[in-house]
Amino acid sequence: QQQVRQSPQSLTVWEGETAILNCSYEDSTFDYFPWYHQFPGESPALLIAIRPVSNKKEDGRFTIFFNKREKKFSLHIADSQPGDSATYFCAARPGYQNFYFGKGTSLTVIP
Amino acid sequence: DMKVTQMPRYLIKRMGENVLLECGQDMSHETMYWYRQDPGLGLQLIYISYDVDSNSEGDIPKGYRVSRKKREHFSLILDSAKTNQTSVYFCASSLSGFAEQFFGPGTRLTVL
């Protein structure tokens, strides 16, 4: 059973648009929700993360929206830039346990 | 400079050969992980280590074993490698099971 589902598999936006990446999870004990990005040939790196005590977390152009009732969280990338082109992974973790990763969204930002 | 290192970065082996992938970290992190990444499948956890000689299976441990004899070093061993173990392997570490993970640069393994 896939613990974390991510969509879309790929996404193309124009420079300046807002890219929206979505994730959902099954287990209500999950309490930490990070997003990672990965550039070609590189390793994943933490981008931004949220805990369910809040429903929104912002860091510059990157915002996580969290809906605990629907078990969904999304990453919004405002004013998308070509340098944002990468694969983005959402993840979730139940307390002191392993991370469960989504399968990734490949984002392409066209100049 | 805090970092996670992996050796080798690229490796080609024949089916049936043994494989040793090494991971090191200089941050005194308690917890270390081994993942494999395949196109379209994201990151799959193979093993997690909570400290020296304290290892637990992840989601896909079959065909793999690990060794952690020093806190800063975590090895992944493939006994008699199979072609379906061709993948990119990432090691990661975190200060504790609650803390954020830092990933190494990855090892691209090809099993012919």
Side-chain angles (χ1 to χ4, degrees):
Chain A
Q1 181 184 3
Q2 190 177 347
Q3 296 279 3
V4 177
R5 288 184 168 82
Q6 186 170 352
S7 64
Q9 187 173 0
S10 63
L11 177 65
T12 300
V13 300
W14 294 100
E15 182 176 355
E17 291 186 332
T18 296
I20 299 175
L21 293 67
N22 300 298
C23 280
S24 63
Y25 61 98
E26 299 290 329
D27 192 334
S28 59
T29 66
F30 288 167
D31 65 357
Y32 180 67
F33 303 90
W35 282 89
Y36 290 80
H37 59 177
Q38 184 180 28
F39 297 99
E42 298 186 10
S43 54
L46 178 66
L47 180 60
I48 186 172
I50 193 169
R51 294 190 185 276
V53 292
S54 56
N55 56 20
K56 182 180 176 181
K57 177 77 175 289
E58 287 182 271
D59 185 357
R61 297 185 293 109
F62 302 93
T63 303
I64 299 177
F65 291 94
F66 182 78
N67 186 322
K68 187 174 183 178
R69 183 179 59 84
E70 295 187 7
K71 297 182 185 175
K72 293 181 178 179
F73 58 111
S74 61
L75 175 68
H76 292 223
I77 304 174
D79 187 26
S80 295
Q81 301 296 311
D84 295 330
S85 297
T87 299
Y88 291 78
F89 294 97
C90 63
R93 184 182 66 194
Y96 193 93
Q97 295 289 346
N98 311 329
F99 282 96
Y100 293 94
F101 284 87
K103 293 186 177 182
T105 295
S106 177
L107 174 66
T108 302
V109 181
I110 301 173
Chain B
D1 188 21
M2 301 186 297
K3 62 181 179 180
V4 179
T5 58
Q6 290 186 239
M7 292 292 288
R9 294 294 312 278
Y10 302 91
L11 186 61
I12 299 175
K13 287 286 193 178
R14 295 193 180 278
M15 189 171 59
E17 292 186 328
N18 297 331
V19 176
L20 174 64
L21 305 184
E22 314 237 36
C23 175
Q25 50 95 3
D26 60 1
M27 298 170 278
S28 297
H29 283 176
E30 286 182 351
T31 309
M32 297 185 74
Y33 313 77
W34 276 107
Y35 294 92
R36 64 177 283 176
Q37 184 176 39
D38 301 291
L41 294 182
L43 290 156
Q44 298 175 275
L45 181 67
I46 305 171
Y47 267 94
I48 182 171
S49 174
Y50 295 103
D51 211 327
V52 172
D53 285 330
S54 179
N55 307 318
S56 293
E57 295 180 346
D59 298 321
I60 53 164
K62 187 176 180 181
Y64 304 93
R65 61 185 176 93
V66 292
S67 175
R68 192 169 181 202
K69 298 301 182 183
K70 294 182 179 180
R71 177 172 279 193
E72 63 271 20
H73 192 248
F74 190 34
S75 300
L76 180 68
I77 302 117
L78 289 66
D79 296 314
S80 188
K82 300 173 180 55
T83 55
N84 63 7
Q85 293 178 307
T86 292
S87 187
V88 179
Y89 291 85
F90 285 102
C91 174
S93 73
S94 62
L95 185 60
S96 72
F98 288 108
E100 195 40 64
Q101 294 183 49
F102 295 86
F103 283 85
T107 295
R108 183 173 295 275
L109 172 66
T110 302
V111 182
L112 302 175

